[in-house]
Every structure is written in structure tokens, then in C-alpha cells.
């Protein structure tokens, strides 16, 4: 927020009331810039120096130099940053390739992207997925434009800065178009270009609210209002700053003969001494100290300083996430991780089941009995470990993990019913239908399935609707005919002489599908290349099989008290499982081969994939 302390007349020079400086309102720092600077300051405070910053955090050298003095190190490329270092990405937004490169170097990334730029990124992604060609009104080469271009594949966006650029586009009038605007573009020019785009193309989509940010609009309107009253306008800002340069243009267009961009008091132009009325404003990235210095210099020349009328800005954004600096929920031994995650998942499921009035208490109680306080949480940890590997957030991974655990709990509740496996014991306690009754068990299972999809479809799971839709679709596939339900049918009604392939098909559906979903979902929460995703899915396929083979072995050799459920059921029911078909030694050898394939699939991921390697080892050696 621009300070309002520059208008006091002071100094010992006689004040010439007819020579005045009109201070535009608002001017100076916007909420996005304040937030980005605070991100670097907080990172320095929490993690200590050095903190690496990719490119200028905001476009002002004074800001950059002040942060350098406190221990920030500014670099052009993430390749210059040491592996694992704390890194802040700038307010202008970064291309996906930058985030991937940061992941590759295992950097602890704090993304200071302005939420208004993030909104533009989300828009272009949505339009790209909808098959539209995107016209980005902006200045080619500006970091914000480069970052926006980097959200979608090359060629998906054309950048326009003028009607001439639009004329030069080789696109048919019936092309489906969407437009987006650089947040600091001049509002009037953008309006003209949008009108020209709409006149040329039949099918044009645009943002629901303008992409040009409030700070740009307010500063441009403020200088537009006072420029005609002044014979000189001074814009305090840095040459790097697009919004500072726009303010100069706006002042000239509004009727001021002379408008200059100056870095500070040292750069006061000679014309200032001869001017009678000077308009003074500052770019959104200009610190108050620079504005105060210019006011001081003008006072010394005999100017009085007046605040022009204007509104104070009351915009504030949600704070930058420092999750990357938290002690990782995935640090420590596998047991530590599982213990922490169990508590977090239980709390998440408890919240999701809720306590809304008017609901059936017995149903909610049965859902909690089935889904909270037990289980390995292997699948939830898998989501969290993959999300962490690809830069996804732990909070989002927890929600997806809770959804998976709801489905897993439901599958066990229904499996235990008399019409299926008819089990009395689960995790060492009575099965749900024994504790409650069969009808309640069926309904609690149904409600848990619904709850899982409700969690995934909720905005809190991911801000991008396309990601949420992807999660819902993948989980539906993991639960339906090609997943749990299909596998359970194959298990209940196997062919008379099941082949090895029949057995593995059944196991891939019964157990593998949900494990595959856990990995796929974790990957969706972050950013990974096609190759990395394929490797993660290979890991998941092998892990799913290992997990089920070990289940089959435990059914033959396990101790019911340790396993937490009855053992020897497959043999008792005359069902062939991997242990019986391959023999115990053969099953152990096969599981070990699959475990090696899990590790191979993770080869390129470096030390950050250790939690996944631990999970593969756990799957093959577990006793419960
Ligand atoms: S000028 Fe606007 S878009 Fe840029 S950082 Fe400030 S608020 Fe965000």
C-alpha cells in the first residue's frame, strides 16, 4: 500500500505555492509485490541464508539489492542453484519446465507467483484442454508472458501486442479462440485488441473477469486523472518494470507533454526545475523509500507536495505457502511416516464424515468404525510419497489418501459380508456386519464410496477442475468393472482351471487397481513429464502385484493374530492363489523379482524417491 507521508511541506527553502507536485493515488507497491518480497524475507528468516531466487523477484533493482544484502542470491536459471536448496520463484510466474527442472534438482520451492497471474495460468490451461487456440495480449519476452506460454505446449498460444500482430496471424475466422491478457498490459490497448479479436473470429472465449490486475488499472486511472493537469509526469520505477513503462505511456496519452521514467531522486530530469506542476506516481514494484526520495528532492527545488484524491487499496492475497520448508511429513523411518500419516488420515476422514445435524448417527458411526483407526494406510502413504516426489502438496495428497482409504475400507466391509468372504474378524476386531448388522454394513460401504468421490470432487482437493475430474475418473475406473468390483467377481467365480494369467488379472484388479490409482493420483497433484509418469505407473503395476502376492503368502503362512484377520481362507474355500499356484518359494521369488522392477522404475528419480523404495521393500517383507 502506498504510504501517505510525503505531503508535508518541510525544509528551509521558501515554499512557492504555485509550484506543486501532485501525488497520484494509489501508487507504489501492490499486494502481489508485497507478498512476493515477504516470501523471500520469510524464507530467509525460516531457513537462513542463502535463499536462491530465480530471476528478479519483482522488477525493481532497489528491492533486489536490499534482499541480496540480507542473503538472497538471484540467479537466471535453476541449473545454477545447488541441489536441495531453498528457492523462491518470482511473482511473475514460472513455466512448467522451470518447476520440473527445480524438481529434478530436488529444490525446496516456494512459489511467490501473484495469485492474479496464477489465475491467467489456470485459464490458458483450461482453454488449451478445451481445444481452443489462445491469443495472449501481452509483450513477447516479458517474464510473465514467458511463464504463461510455458503452461501449455509450444504453439498453443500466439502473443499479440498490437493490431498489426493480430493481422499477421494466419488463422481462419472459424478457429475456436480464447484470449488472455498480461496482467500489466495497458487497459485501453487491451480493450481495443479484444474488440478486434471478437470482430475477426466467430467463436471467442475470454476470462470471466478482466485479466488486467486491479493494481495496474488503479495506477493507470490515477495517473490518467492528473496527467492533464501537469506539465511533467514522473514515474518512479525500474526500466525492467512493464507496469512502470505503461504508466509513462498512459500519462502521455492522457495529455501530458512530458512523461519520464526515473529510478529515483538521483535521476531527476533537468526539466523538473522549470516545471510548474509535476505529476508523480510509482510502479507497483517501486518501494516507498524511492518515492519518498524523489519527493524530498522536489521539495528541495521549492515544490509543495499534494496528494491527489484517490481510493486506498484494501486488496490482500492468501499468504505464500511455505510447505516446502516444513519438516517433511515423509521424513524419518517408514514407521515414523506411517504413524504420522495414520493420524493425519484419520483426522481427514473424520472431518469428511462430519457431524452435520439430521444425518443418521448409526450410519456415521459405522463409517467411522470401518474407516478410522486401523489399517496400514499403505495406499495413502503412496499418494503422499508420489505427490512429494513431483512437487504436489501434502495437504492435497492427504485428501486423496483419505478418499482412497474410504474406498479401501468399503471394499473390506463388503468383502467380509456373509455373501462374500463371510469373515468375523478384521484387524483383530469384529467385522462391521458382526459389530453392527449386515444392512448397516452394506449402507456404510455405499456411503464410504460416495464420500470418496465427494472428497475428490471438492475444490479443496485441487483448485484445477480438470485435475479433480481426472482424479474422479481414475478412481471410478479403479473401483468398477476393471478394478475392485471386477477383481472380486473373478475371485468369487474363477474359471474351473485358472491359468497364471487369470490369477494375475484378478490380482491386478482386486489389489493393483487401487495401488495404481494411488500412484497416478499422486502424479496428478504435481508436475511430471510423460516419461516420469510412465515410470511411476510401471512402479505401481509391479507394486500392486507384489502386494497381492504377499497377501496370498500371508494367507498361507501368516499368523492370524499378527495379520489381523483369519488366515488359510483361500485354501479353505478351494480358491487358487499365487502361493498355491507358484508354491511358497516360487511366490517369494516372483515377489522379489517384481520388487527389483519397482526399484528399476524409480532409477531416474534420485534420493527423493526413497519413501517409494521403502514402500516396495515393505510390500514384499510385511507380516501383516
Ligand atoms: S501488478 Fe498485479 S499482477 Fe502484478 S504482482 Fe501486483 S497485483 Fe499481481
Amino acid at each position: 500500500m502506498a504510504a501517505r507521508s510525503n505531503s508535508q511541506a518541510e525544509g528551509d527553502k521558501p515554499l512557492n505555492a504555485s509550484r506543486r507536485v501532485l501525488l497520484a493515488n494509489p501508487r507504489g507497491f501492490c499486494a502481489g509485490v508485497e507478498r512476493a518480497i515477504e516470501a523471500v524475507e520469510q524464507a530467509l528468516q525460516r531457513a537462513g541464508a542463502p535463499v536462491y531466487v530465480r530471476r528478479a523477484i519483482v522488477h525493481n533493482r532497489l528491492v533486489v539489492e536490499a534482499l541480496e544484502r540480507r542473503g538472497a542470491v538471484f540467479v537466471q536459471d535453476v541449473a545454477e542453484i545447488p541441489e536441495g536448496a531453498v528457492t523462491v520463484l518470482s511473482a511473475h510466474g514460472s513455466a512448467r519446465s522451470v518447476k520440473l527442472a527445480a524438481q529434478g534438482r530436488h529444490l525446496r520451492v516456494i512459489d511467490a507467483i501473484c495469485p492474479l497471474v496464477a489465475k491467467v495460468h489456470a485459464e490458458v490451461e483450461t482453454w488449451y484442454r478445451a481445444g481452443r487456440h489462445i491469443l495472449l495480449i501481452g509483450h513477447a519476452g516479458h517474464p510473465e508472458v514467458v511463464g504463461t506460454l510455458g503452461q501449455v505446449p509450444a504453439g498453443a498460444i500466439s502473443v499479440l501486442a498490437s493490431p498489426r500482430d493480430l493481422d499477421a496471424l494466419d488463422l481462419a475466422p472459424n478457429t475456436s479462440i480464447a484470449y488472455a491478457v498480461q496482467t500489466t498490459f495497458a487497459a485501453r490497448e487491451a480493450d481495443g485488441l479484444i474488440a478486434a479479436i471478437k470482430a475477426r473470429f466467430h467463436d471467442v472465449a475470454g476470462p470471466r473477469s478482466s485479466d488486467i490486475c486491479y493494481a495496474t488499472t488503479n495506477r493507470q486511472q490515477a495517473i490518467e486523472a492528473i496527467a492533464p493537469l501537469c506539465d511533467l509526469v514522473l514515474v518512479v520505477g525500474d526500466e525492467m518494470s512493464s507496469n512502470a513503462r505503461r504508466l509513462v505511456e498512459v500519462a502521455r496519452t492522457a495529455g501530458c507533454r512530458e512523461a519520464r521514467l526515473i529510478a529515483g531522486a538521483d535521476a531527476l530530469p533537468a526539466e523538473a526545475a522549470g516545471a510548474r506542476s509535476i505529476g508523480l506516481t510509482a510502479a507497483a514494484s517501486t518501494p516507498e523509500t524511492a518515492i519518498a526520495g524523489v519527493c524530498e528532492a522536489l521539495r528541495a527545488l521549492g515544490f509543495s507536495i499534494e496528494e491527489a484524491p484517490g481510493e486506498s487499496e484494501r486488496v490482500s492475497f492468501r499468504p505464500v505457502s511455505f510447505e516446502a520448508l516444513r519438516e517433511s511429513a515423509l521424513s524419518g523411518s517408514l514407521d515414523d511416516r506411517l504413524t504420522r500419516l495414520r493420524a493425519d488420515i484419520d483426522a481427514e476422514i473424520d472431518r469428511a464424515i462430519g457431524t452435520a445435524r439430521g444425518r443418521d448417527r448409526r450410519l456415521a458411526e459405522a463409517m467411522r468404525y470401518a474407516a478410522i483407526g486401523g489399517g496400514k494406510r499403505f495406499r495413502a502413504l503412496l499418494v503422499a510419497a508420489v505427490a512429494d516426489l513431483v512437487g504436489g502438496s501434502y495437504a492435497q495428497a492427504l485428501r486423496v489418501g483419505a478418499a482412497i482409504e474410504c474406498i479401501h475400507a468399503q471394499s473390506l466391509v463388503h468383502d467380509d459380508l456373509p455373501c462374500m468372504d463371510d469373515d468375523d474378524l478384521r484387524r483383530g476386531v469384529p467385522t462391521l456386519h458382526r459389530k453392527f448388522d449386515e444392512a448397516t454394513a452394506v449402507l456404510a460401504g455405499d456411503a464410504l464410496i460416495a464420500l470418496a468421490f465427494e472428497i475428490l470432487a471438492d475444490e479443496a482437493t485441487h483448485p484445477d477442475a480438470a485435475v479433480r475430474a481426472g482424479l474422479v475418473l481414475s478412481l471410478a475406473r479403479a473401483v468398477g468393472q476393471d478394478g475392485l468390483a471386477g477383481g472380486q467377481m473373478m475371485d468369487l467365480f474363477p474359471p474351473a482351471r485358472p491359468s497364471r494369467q487369470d490369477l494375475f488379472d484378478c490380482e491386478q484388479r482386486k489389489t493393483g487397481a487401487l495401488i495404481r490409482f494411488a500412484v497416478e493420483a499422486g502424479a496428478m497433484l504435481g508436475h511430471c513429464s510423460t516419461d516420469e509418469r510412465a515410470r511411476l505407473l510401471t512402479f505401481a503395476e509391479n507394486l500392486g502385484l507384489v502386494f497381492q502376492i504377499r497377501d496370498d503368502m500371508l494367507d498361507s503362512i501368516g499368523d492370524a493374530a499378527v495379520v489381523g484377520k483369519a488366515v488359510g481362507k483361500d485354501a479353505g474355500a478351494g480358491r487358487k492363489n499365487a502361493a498355491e499356484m507358484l508354491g511358497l518359494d516360487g511366490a517369494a521369488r516372483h515377489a522379489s523379482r517384481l520388487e527389483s522392477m519397482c526399484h528399476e522404475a524409480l532409477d531416474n528419480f534420485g534420493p527423493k524417491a526413497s519413501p517409494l523404495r521403502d514402500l516396495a521393500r515393505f510390500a514384499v517383507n510385511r507380516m501383516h
Side-chain angles (χ1 to χ4, degrees):
M1 193 73 53
R4 300 284 173 264
S5 57
N6 296 316
S7 55
Q8 301 94 331
E10 44 182 79
D12 45 21
K13 291 230 170 209
L15 195 79
N16 182 346
S18 63
R19 301 183 75 210
R20 64 171 187 172
V21 170
L22 259 179
L23 276 169
N25 258 320
R27 62 183 180 274
F29 276 179
C30 62
V33 162
E34 283 181 340
R35 179 176 177 271
I37 294 170
E38 200 181 318
V40 181
E41 290 172 344
Q42 284 273 328
L44 283 162
Q45 204 176 336
R46 293 178 190 212
V51 163
Y52 290 82
V53 186
R54 182 181 176 273
R55 309 276 167 94
I57 184 77
V58 298
H59 277 161
N60 190 284
R61 277 184 195 85
L62 298 171
V63 171
V64 168
E65 284 164 13
L67 291 170
E68 274 175 340
R69 285 193 290 277
R70 297 180 60 179
V73 177
F74 289 82
V75 297
Q76 285 303 303
D77 199 288
V78 288
E80 300 165 50
I81 303 173
E83 288 250 342
V86 175
T87 303
V88 182
L89 299 180
S90 87
H92 302 107
S94 308
R96 280 175 184 269
S97 57
V98 171
K99 293 181 184 167
L100 281 173
Q103 267 168 34
R105 300 188 68 70
H106 310 293
L107 303 181
R108 297 160 75 195
V109 172
I110 296 154
D111 193 351
I113 181 174
C114 174
L116 300 180
V117 179
K119 166 185 169 274
V120 177
H121 286 190
E123 283 164 5
V124 299
E125 254 195 274
T126 305
W127 287 320
Y128 168 71
R129 286 211 190 95
R132 291 181 180 272
H133 183 74
I134 300 152
L135 303 182
L136 176 59
I137 299 173
H139 299 282
H142 184 278
E144 182 188 321
V145 170
V146 173
T148 305
L149 288 173
Q151 303 309 306
V152 290
I157 299 182
S158 305
V159 180
L160 316 172
S162 68
R164 208 175 322 128
D165 294 339
L166 180 61
D167 292 344
L169 279 182
D170 186 17
L171 291 171
N174 60 356
T175 310
S176 290
I177 294 290
Y179 68 85
V181 187
Q182 181 184 337
T183 56
T184 49
F185 206 81
R188 274 186 206 287
E189 288 173 32
D191 287 346
L193 275 167
I194 292 166
I197 290 168
K198 287 181 174 166
R200 175 166 163 187
F201 298 100
H202 309 319
D203 175 18
V204 178
R208 260 190 258 161
S209 57
S210 170
D211 286 337
I212 296 183
C213 92
Y214 77 95
T216 303
T217 308
N218 290 350
R219 280 152 192 69
Q220 288 178 5
Q221 284 174 352
I223 198 63
E224 204 167 31
I226 62 171
L229 312 175
C230 304
D231 40 21
L232 173 66
V233 162
L234 297 176
V235 177
V236 189
D238 197 297
E239 270 297 336
M240 287 190 283
S241 163
S242 165
N243 94 48
R245 294 196 303 271
R246 291 298 81 70
L247 287 170
V248 172
E249 286 167 15
V250 170
R252 285 186 187 138
T253 311
C256 180
R257 268 179 294 124
E258 195 61 55
R260 294 287 185 86
L261 173 58
I262 59 169
D266 293 349
L268 217 53
E271 289 88 337
R276 302 214 64 77
S277 178
I278 296 180
L280 184 61
T281 186
S285 50
T286 305
E288 186 56 31
T289 48
I291 307 165
V294 173
C295 285
E296 200 51 44
L298 290 170
R299 268 192 207 103
L301 290 175
F303 284 90
S304 66
I305 312 284
E306 287 174 31
E307 290 278 359
E311 294 280 313
S312 291
E313 288 171 338
R314 291 195 176 79
V315 176
S316 64
F317 296 130
R318 64 174 191 281
V320 169
S321 165
F322 289 94
E323 204 175 291
L325 300 189
R326 262 190 13 183
E327 194 207 343
S328 171
L330 299 169
S331 62
S333 71
L334 181 62
D335 279 348
D336 292 344
R337 277 172 248 155
L338 283 167
T339 305
R340 269 197 300 269
L341 187 87
R342 270 185 210 116
D344 290 346
I345 286 285
D346 282 354
E348 196 68 51
I349 296 177
D350 190 49
R351 251 195 310 277
I353 293 173
T355 52
R357 291 173 70 170
R359 285 183 179 165
D360 189 282
R361 278 206 201 155
R362 184 175 169 81
L363 181 61
E365 201 188 320
M367 289 166 76
R368 286 192 165 88
Y369 184 80
I372 295 177
K376 294 178 279 293
R377 304 305 192 199
F378 177 83
R379 294 155 188 81
L381 185 54
L382 202 47
V383 186
V386 175
D388 189 57
L389 182 66
V390 299
S393 103
Y394 180 67
Q396 290 169 356
L398 263 188
R399 290 185 60 83
V400 176
I404 295 181
E405 294 297 339
C406 285
I407 293 288
H408 180 53
Q410 167 275 325
S411 74
L412 300 181
V413 167
H414 286 183
D415 271 8
D416 291 340
L417 286 168
C419 60
M420 304 261 244
D421 289 357
D422 195 12
D423 267 316
D424 296 336
L425 193 66
R426 170 70 64 185
R427 295 169 185 155
V429 296
T431 48
L432 185 62
H433 65 279
R434 291 279 173 239
K435 173 84 177 168
F436 290 76
D437 58 80
E438 284 180 32
T440 303
V442 170
L443 292 171
D446 292 348
L448 284 168
I449 299 181
L451 183 62
F453 286 102
E454 191 182 329
I455 293 171
L456 293 187
D458 192 297
E459 226 175 6
T461 298
H462 201 282
D464 186 340
V467 172
R468 298 199 300 276
L471 290 168
V472 166
L473 178 65
S474 297
L475 183 63
R477 287 180 175 150
V479 172
Q481 297 174 80
D482 296 325
L484 280 172
Q488 189 65 10
M489 277 304 276
M490 291 167 92
D491 197 29
L492 287 171
F493 305 101
R497 299 165 68 88
S499 66
R500 204 168 141 152
Q501 191 54 47
D502 290 331
L503 178 75
F504 287 140
D505 281 352
C506 169
E507 302 204 325
Q508 274 298 13
R509 286 177 167 82
K510 237 176 81 176
T511 306
L514 212 48
I515 286 180
R516 187 182 198 280
F517 171 72
V519 172
E520 197 179 9
M524 283 187 212
L525 296 178
H527 303 280
C528 60
S529 66
T530 312
D531 176 59
E532 285 170 333
R533 184 174 178 277
R535 285 173 166 279
L536 286 170
L537 291 181
T538 303
F539 165 79
E541 305 282 352
N542 292 318
L543 185 68
L545 276 174
V546 169
F547 199 87
Q548 183 61 47
I549 290 173
R550 187 65 187 169
D551 251 4
D552 290 351
M553 291 171 70
L554 289 174
D555 190 60
S556 299
I557 58 165
D559 175 347
V562 179
V563 176
K565 61 181 179 182
V567 294
K569 289 183 311 177
D570 288 340
R575 272 202 302 261
K576 281 198 182 295
N577 67 21
E580 205 215 306
M581 196 170 273
L582 305 174
L584 271 174
D585 284 350
R589 275 197 303 278
H590 192 56
S592 167
R593 262 197 306 279
L594 289 165
E595 188 207 339
S596 302
M597 287 157 80
C598 286
H599 294 302
E600 261 169 48
L602 298 175
D603 265 355
N604 287 1
F605 287 100
K608 217 177 170 191
S610 298
L612 291 177
R613 295 189 184 95
D614 289 347
L615 283 171
R617 277 189 281 273
F618 169 78
V620 86
N621 295 316
R622 69 202 167 92
M623 294 308 291
H624 57 91

